[in-house]
Amino acid sequence: MNRSVHWRTRTAAAAVAALSLGVLAACSSSSSGSAPASSSAPAASSAAATASNSAASGTVSTSSCGTKPGVAATGTPINIGAINTKQPGTDFSDIENMTGAYFACVNANGGINGHPIKYFPVTEQTNPSQIASLAKQLVTSDHVVGMMGSSSIIECSVDAAYWKSVGIEVLGAGIAPECYSTPNTASVNMGPRYSSDGAVQYVLAQGASKIAFDQANVPGTAYIAAGPNALAKAKGVPIQDYTENVPITSANAIATKLVTAAGPGGAVVLNFTPPEALLILQAAQKLNLEDRVKYWACSTPCNTDFLATSLGQKWNNKLFVNAELLPLDGNTSQTAQLFQAILKQYGTNVSGGVGSFSEMGFTMGEIATHALESVKGDYTIASVSAALKAVTNYNTGMLCQGFTYGNYPTHLPNNMDYTVTPNNGKFLQATTGGGCTLISADDPQVAAYRAVAGTAPAVG
């Protein structure tokens, strides 16, 4: 269904149902167990506040999540799982928590054809045996019929064969190579390799003469660095690779090393989660190094107001961040309004607030809802997987391109991005070259995907 039409229909219904709205509480687990995060008990909400979000006011409220505003879903639950990394130095749990918030909103407003989504988000600590056990637990004990909201450093590598064996198509936010190179997983994000491609591509386009590329020392660093190296090589620009153990304990030394390597005409490009990137950037500022290179850039995780606020005005228009999803600061689109409304009402467990991780979780909630609503008959692994594979050129409002899952041997449905820069505690689209830009096919993996799937139309 066309997203804008979907919202107009739902918002009009919200005006009719304004006096009878209820709210479901979101309850999301961050433990490594499988306690379900479902929403089944309505709580009272303000009818006046709901009425102010009617179609006539031109705003979008959480009543837009479902086809029956204020009517809690009471049918047989649809069990959905997710696996996210949560450990010192690397925490992706905001992603599954925001997907859970979206599902809670859907459950409060009619559910999926009257069925509530019962969510089973679990976390892991990059232990392969733990991850494999969690996957089997979700299928055999929790009886999930789909995996939607996953984001893990190695989960795709560990479980790719298992998902194929049980017939589950995974909707995730990928990290490992198998998230993009196997038939049973498609991601809403670009992952660290392609996101780093975007950051490197941007500074190359601005004229950087050398690149110092640094990232967390976690599994897959060589695979990630291969993309930026291919882009730099194609442009004849030298690039030097580094890795750092996280949590970072020597930020001053790292900042000094990177600035020296990049040189005055070069760029420092970081691929870290926000707290770790912030340590390096703040160290550079403390040592008065921020102006010793031409550009600073970062992969997508840096795109969070937490980082922009912490850095302050001195970094305005100095740091350029790959943004795989819609820049939200100052954005009044229907998508941005719904995101903010869900985050405020249901996203209490989303510790990072507005940022790429929460946007990824929201987008997976959108796509999952769209796919699940198309299922006719029982919700089974087979019917849910078929519905996901059938999603074609779906306009999420968050991505530069229409999202297609498809029946492909590899998956990279998001390969066009924005670039944002700090501006007084917010991240705004860069005025030069910040609009939707295709990731360069100088990365051979990007070229291979487009050879089989083509290039999805731009919608952003």
Side-chain angles (χ1 to χ4, degrees):
M1 179 181 292
N2 179 276
R3 170 62 60 179
S4 61
V5 173
H6 206 21
W7 271 332
R8 284 196 296 271
T9 302
R10 289 177 173 179
T11 309
V16 177
L19 298 179
S20 62
L21 286 184
V23 179
L24 292 181
C27 114
S28 179
S29 169
S30 60
S31 71
S32 58
S34 62
S38 61
S39 299
S40 56
S45 67
S46 168
T50 303
S52 70
N53 285 307
S54 68
S57 70
T59 60
V60 175
S61 73
T62 52
S63 63
S64 301
C65 294
T67 54
K68 294 183 178 180
V71 179
T74 58
T76 305
I78 304 168
N79 293 352
I80 300 295
I83 301 175
N84 277 228
T85 298
K86 182 178 175 65
Q87 63 189 26
T90 309
D91 185 355
F92 300 145
S93 61
D94 267 2
I95 296 173
E96 66 181 11
N97 288 340
M98 190 64 184
T99 302
Y102 195 104
F103 289 161
C105 189
V106 170
N107 290 347
N109 294 282
I112 305 294
N113 300 321
H115 298 274
I117 297 171
K118 190 173 184 180
Y119 201 37
F120 294 83
V122 297
T123 59
E124 49 77 20
Q125 293 74 49
T126 59
N127 181 320
S129 60
Q130 176 198 26
I131 292 168
S133 176
L134 286 171
K136 291 178 181 177
Q137 171 187 297
L138 286 167
V139 173
T140 61
S141 299
D142 300 321
H143 307 293
V144 301
V145 294
M147 293 292 295
M148 302 172 184
S150 292
S151 186
S152 162
I153 294 174
I154 63 172
E155 190 276 327
C156 288
S157 303
V158 173
D159 291 331
Y162 180 67
W163 299 133
K164 185 176 181 180
S165 72
V166 297
I168 284 182
E169 301 287 338
V170 179
L171 178 66
I175 308 296
E178 288 81 1
C179 299
Y180 304 92
S181 61
T182 54
N184 283 68
T185 297
S187 298
V188 301
N189 66 328
M190 295 177 184
R193 173 166 174 159
Y194 309 112
S195 175
S196 296
D197 280 358
V200 168
Q201 181 174 320
Y202 183 82
V203 297
L204 287 172
Q206 304 312 308
S209 60
K210 187 177 181 182
I211 295 169
F213 176 64
D214 201 4
Q215 59 179 319
N217 185 20
V218 297
T221 55
Y223 158 79
I224 294 167
N229 277 259
L231 268 63
K233 182 179 179 180
K235 300 301 182 187
V237 174
I239 183 170
Q240 192 166 350
D241 300 326
Y242 300 92
T243 59
E244 313 297 342
N245 293 329
V246 291
I248 286 173
T249 58
S250 55
N252 288 358
I254 294 169
T256 301
K257 171 183 67 178
L258 295 175
V259 167
T260 301
V268 174
V269 179
L270 305 175
N271 177 42
F272 293 92
T273 56
E276 306 305 309
L278 179 62
L279 290 174
I280 298 172
L281 295 168
Q282 287 180 326
Q285 181 173 330
K286 182 176 70 174
L287 298 171
N288 295 313
L289 299 175
E290 69 273 14
D291 292 323
R292 295 275 298 276
V293 296
K294 193 171 184 180
Y295 300 104
W296 293 82
C298 195
S299 60
T300 294
C302 289
N303 181 24
T304 169
D305 285 353
F306 151 75
L307 189 140
T309 302
S310 300
L311 287 176
Q313 295 182 357
K314 200 167 185 180
W315 287 87
N316 285 0
N317 303 303
K318 190 168 292 184
L319 171 68
F320 297 92
V321 179
N322 174 271
E324 302 167 6
L325 302 101
L326 182 70
L328 287 179
D329 288 327
N331 194 313
T332 58
S333 68
Q334 289 185 322
T335 302
Q337 289 181 54
L338 184 59
F339 171 90
Q340 294 284 3
I342 291 176
L343 180 63
K344 181 178 180 180
Q345 188 166 347
Y346 298 101
T348 55
N349 290 332
V350 182
S351 60
V354 177
S356 288
F357 285 177
S358 52
E359 285 190 78
M360 291 172 194
F362 174 94
T363 304
M364 282 189 275
E366 282 187 292
I367 297 168
T369 298
H370 171 70
L372 291 170
E373 286 177 340
S374 72
V375 173
K376 307 299 181 185
D378 295 336
Y379 289 88
T380 64
I381 288 176
S383 65
V384 169
S385 292
L388 263 182
K389 289 172 73 172
V391 175
T392 303
N393 289 336
Y394 177 63
N395 185 358
T396 65
M398 279 287 187
L399 304 180
C400 282
Q401 297 167 293
F403 183 91
T404 295
Y405 195 107
N407 187 23
Y408 302 125
T410 63
H411 291 279
L412 182 58
N414 181 2
N415 55 86
M416 181 186 290
D417 71 336
Y418 302 91
T419 298
V420 295
T421 186
N423 188 298
N424 298 327
K426 303 292 184 182
F427 269 110
L428 302 182
Q429 185 173 309
T431 55
T432 301
C436 288
T437 304
L438 280 170
I439 297 298
S440 173
D442 287 335
D443 184 329
Q445 299 290 343
V446 176
Y449 172 75
R450 290 188 185 140
V452 298
T455 301
V459 295

